[in-house]
Amino acid sequence: MTSNKIEYIDKLFLSYNYQLAKQSNQTVRVYTLRYGMYHAAEFILFDKDYDISKIKKEYSELGFATDVRVLKNIDEIEEYLFQGFFIKTPLGNELKNRYKHFVNRQLQNLPEGSKYKYINSSFDLLLQDESKNIIENKFYDSDLEINLIDKINSLLSNINGAIFIIIEAPAGFGKTCTANEILNTFSPKECKQLPFFTELSRNREARVFKHILLNEIDEQFPNGIKQNIVIEQITKGRIPLIIDGFDELISKESNKEEVESMLTTIIELLKGDAKIIITSRKTAIFNSDEFLNSIYDSNNDFSLARFEIKEPKIENWLDNDRIEVINNAKFPVAQVANPVLLSYLRNISIDVLKNYVNETNDGALIDKYLDYLLKREQQRQNLKLDNEDQLRIFRKLVRFMTEYNITAESKDTIKDFIKDYNQKLLQNSLKQYIAEEKPSIEDLIETLSNHVFLDRKPNGDVGIINDFIFGYLIGENLILEKYQEHYENFEKIIPQDFATKAMESFKIQSKRKKENLWGIFNDEEFNYDIGFYFDLDYTFSKQPNREYKNLFVLDRELSDLNFIENCSFKSSAFSSIIFNNCQFDINLFFDTSFQNCSFYDCSIINQKTNKPYSDFALFTCTSNNDFVSNILNLFENQTDEKIKEKTSLSEKMVLNHFFQVDGIKPRARKFSYIKKSLSEYHDKEINKVIDSLKSKNYLHFKDDVGFITKEAIHYLNHSENK
């Protein structure tokens, strides 16, 4: 056995906290482990004929559990250690328990007898190999093709080397459910892998992602297993890393350095055979220069798969009979288009559903759902608090979370807060119990800390059960003026992502509540970016009605919007947007571009303009009518005297920008980079060439980022060799 191999095996055992015994030599290595009352000695023989009996007897008499192994190959030793410290321990069994706990959490808000079902949604996939060549770029229809979980598992099984899987989706589209379904597919005994699953939340202590990750390792693995062992096994692919809720650590207040640090921490792990999966809400972070630089400037070789979950259809949630009941009652479908509510409607009896849709008025379906939860809580936990008192307690708790910009906290802190800020209410509650059932104040607080509105996170912290309830409580605090009452500058303490949760929850509230919330966000001076206000106007009024400057709208569907009055757009961009039945007055747009957008049944108001093309610039856009061609015709004869085109822009000139500095390795580029690099050319000329490259499948665009394809690289290499 060579000295290098012996040294490697020594390091391997030492990393698992073994010590090298003095009896070790070039023929046998003796490693000892002392862990509490357990003492073990491992004998690794390099010569199967070596007589180990004397040394083995010596250690047995000292109380060591002994095991002798003849070395066949180093991989076998690595697998043996991993099996012993990870797979053949309670850690392996905890996977199924974690999934069962997750399912139980989903069912606790539903009627008794409900069944959990994972909703298969359609999805987009952009897959790049280790050299960042596009391997696959496809939309998958969940009704016709492979489902999301099977596709992810296929990549994990079939791709050699490290892979980074990003699963993006807006709130409520199933990110956490998807992460848990992936977890549930692992069987340590069969696949010899032990996933490390962490569900992130924002609390007062955790701010640096690397520290959070290391702390999660310490929390989930026994004391005898050091962080470096887990990290090493992650890079070897034996411990797939699943990070749910990556966006929880990203807020409007996050600075560039924090985001770069988070990305760097993950990419540093992407070596060897590492398998890392993260879920996140749809965010511009993954199209940012920081992300692209982290990916393309890394010295690590890894594949990159970006999944984007599309909005689940109501048909995915409800069977035909239930949909027919809703349609026959002419009930507004928009009022049930929320996963939390759809889960409830799927599991109530068909007769109850008929009563709900026939009897409820505007927004009352939400009230019935909350009434069901809170009344059931009174029965389930023998709670002597009516619905309003329960809501008061949790509105206060959410104000506390808002003040500290957190989404979870230790259970003890939650209990202390409930006790300190609800004394009178709790004392009145205790008076409602008969003597033999009366709990202590501490018991009552413990009961409330297990309320249906709360959810215990895997790390032990407690947070609000889901974004719908969180957003509802934030919105209620606002329209009841509770924030205004308790905070002098209330508009400065509500983080933008909290306000967004309220907006999302109130999409299916009554018209009165929608108008109240819209009025508060519209009239007060919140320090939110313009994207929030565009979403606000679209959600609650379906009409843009202010000046939007430096607006960036990304990857969504906008319907029945009229860009014709009381608004203007300056230095803005719409990327990968589907516009349905929208009207545009292009005179309201200034230095605004539309990148990779689709226009269905859209029209132009005011066909005459003296504006430059750059004010309403289309790049690789399509329409089902003459909308795009009409726009281009408006600017057909316009020229910009400031731009002097020395030569016409060629396809090769554009494609050459999609490479690293070495001119060999492909590199994704943002639209803004391409436009800046080609600033000497007219925007119309750039659009014409890029449109042609896209139609030839030489370029692919995801949101505002362009990727060069293998076909384009082949075209360039072929043309250069001529």
Side-chain angles (χ1 to χ4, degrees), residues 82-94 194 221-222 225:
F82 182 73
Q83 289 275 332
F85 278 81
F86 292 94
I87 302 297
K88 296 177 180 178
T89 69
L91 290 173
N93 295 326
E94 285 178 11
L194 183 76
F221 292 96
I225 296 178

Side-chain angles (χ1 to χ4, degrees), residues 311 334 503-504 506-507 514 518 522 530-546 548 551 553-563 567 569 574 577-583:
E311 182 173 10
M503 187 200 312
E504 290 292 326
F506 270 57
K507 278 183 179 179
K514 287 180 184 178
W518 183 86
N522 191 60
I530 192 63
F532 173 85
Y533 290 100
F534 181 81
D535 290 343
L536 181 75
D537 295 338
Y538 177 67
T539 299
F540 293 144
S541 69
K542 283 287 186 177
Q543 178 60 49
N545 59 1
R546 68 187 80 220
Y548 304 91
L551 171 69
V553 186
L554 173 70
D555 187 37
R556 49 189 298 196
E557 194 164 341
L558 300 175
S559 301
D560 304 315
L561 273 177
N562 295 319
F563 302 89
C567 64
F569 294 81
F574 294 83
I577 304 297
I578 298 175
F579 293 95
N580 292 305
N581 193 36
C582 297
Q583 292 183 308

Side-chain angles (χ1 to χ4, degrees), residues 58-278:
E58 177 185 339
Y59 275 92
S60 295
E61 290 176 349
L62 291 172
F64 283 81
T66 59
D67 188 41
V68 179
R69 300 184 70 83
V70 178
L71 180 69
K72 295 179 181 177
N73 59 65
I74 292 176
D75 289 342
E76 181 185 272
I77 294 296
E78 288 201 53
E79 189 64 34
Y80 166 70
L81 287 170
F82 182 73
Q83 289 275 332
F85 278 81
F86 292 94
I87 302 297
K88 296 177 180 178
T89 69
L91 290 173
N93 295 326
E94 285 178 11
L95 284 183
K96 292 297 180 186
N97 292 335
R98 183 187 286 269
Y99 181 75
K100 288 178 182 176
H101 175 65
F102 166 75
V103 169
N104 289 336
R105 282 158 53 197
Q106 308 312 302
L107 295 176
Q108 69 182 18
N109 283 355
L110 299 174
E112 187 174 347
S114 297
K115 294 182 179 179
Y116 173 72
K117 175 188 174 186
Y118 174 72
I119 303 300
N120 278 308
S121 301
S122 300
F123 60 93
D124 284 333
L125 169 61
L126 178 67
L127 176 62
Q128 295 172 271
D129 65 14
E130 292 180 344
S131 300
K132 302 304 176 283
N133 293 307
I134 293 181
I135 300 300
E136 187 174 348
N137 166 40
K138 184 178 177 182
F139 167 77
Y140 284 87
D141 187 328
S142 62
D143 295 330
L144 304 173
E145 301 172 275
I146 187 172
N147 65 49
L148 176 61
I149 304 302
D150 287 345
K151 185 63 180 179
I152 291 171
N153 286 330
S154 172
L155 296 183
L156 291 172
S157 301
N158 298 326
I159 288 186
N160 294 322
I163 182 171
F164 185 18
I165 296 177
I166 300 172
I167 303 170
E168 293 179 277
F173 281 24
K175 298 183 296 296
T176 294
C177 293
T178 299
N180 279 276
E181 288 300 315
I182 295 169
L183 176 72
N184 192 44
T185 61
F186 282 96
S187 173
K189 292 181 180 178
E190 295 176 8
C191 67
K192 297 182 180 180
Q193 291 174 302
L194 183 76
F196 170 32
F197 185 102
T198 178
E199 184 179 349
L200 298 180
S201 56
R202 199 183 308 164
N203 61 42
R204 289 178 294 174
E205 285 74 35
R207 282 293 181 265
V208 180
F209 177 65
K210 187 170 186 178
H211 296 166
I212 295 170
L213 187 60
L214 294 176
N215 184 64
E216 288 285 316
I217 290 174
D218 289 339
E219 290 280 344
Q220 294 194 34
F221 292 96
N223 293 333
I225 296 178
K226 294 180 179 178
Q227 293 173 352
N228 64 299
I229 302 175
V230 177
I231 296 295
E232 185 177 352
Q233 298 306 316
I234 288 174
T235 61
K236 290 182 176 180
R238 291 192 178 94
I239 299 183
L241 176 58
I242 304 173
I243 303 172
D244 181 39
F246 184 77
D247 57 286
E248 275 291 325
L249 304 182
I250 303 170
S251 67
K252 183 175 180 287
E253 294 75 27
S254 297
N255 58 43
K256 178 181 175 182
E257 289 72 26
E258 286 177 338
V259 173
E260 285 182 332
S261 175
M262 294 168 70
L263 295 170
T264 299
T265 298
I266 290 176
I267 290 172
E268 283 176 349
L269 296 173
L270 284 163
K271 59 184 73 169
D273 290 311
K275 315 297 181 191
I276 299 181
I277 303 166
I278 68 173

Side-chain angles (χ1 to χ4, degrees), residues 76 152 165 188 229 268 274 302 392 411 416-417 467 496 502 523 543-544 601:
E76 181 185 272
I152 291 171
I165 296 177
I229 302 175
E268 283 176 349
F302 57 91
R392 284 175 62 193
K411 186 169 184 177
D416 287 344
F417 178 85
D467 282 349
Q496 181 173 317
D523 297 340
Q543 178 60 49
D601 301 322

Side-chain angles (χ1 to χ4, degrees), residues 12 16 41 55 86 119 128 159 233 252 282 352 379 383 427 450 531 576 615 633 677 690 719:
L12 189 60
Y16 278 90
I55 303 176
F86 292 94
I119 303 300
Q128 295 172 271
I159 288 186
Q233 298 306 316
K252 183 175 180 287
K282 184 73 177 176
V352 172
Q379 299 170 355
L383 196 59
Q427 291 297 338
N450 296 314
S576 296
D615 275 354
N633 289 337
S677 300
I690 290 181
S719 62

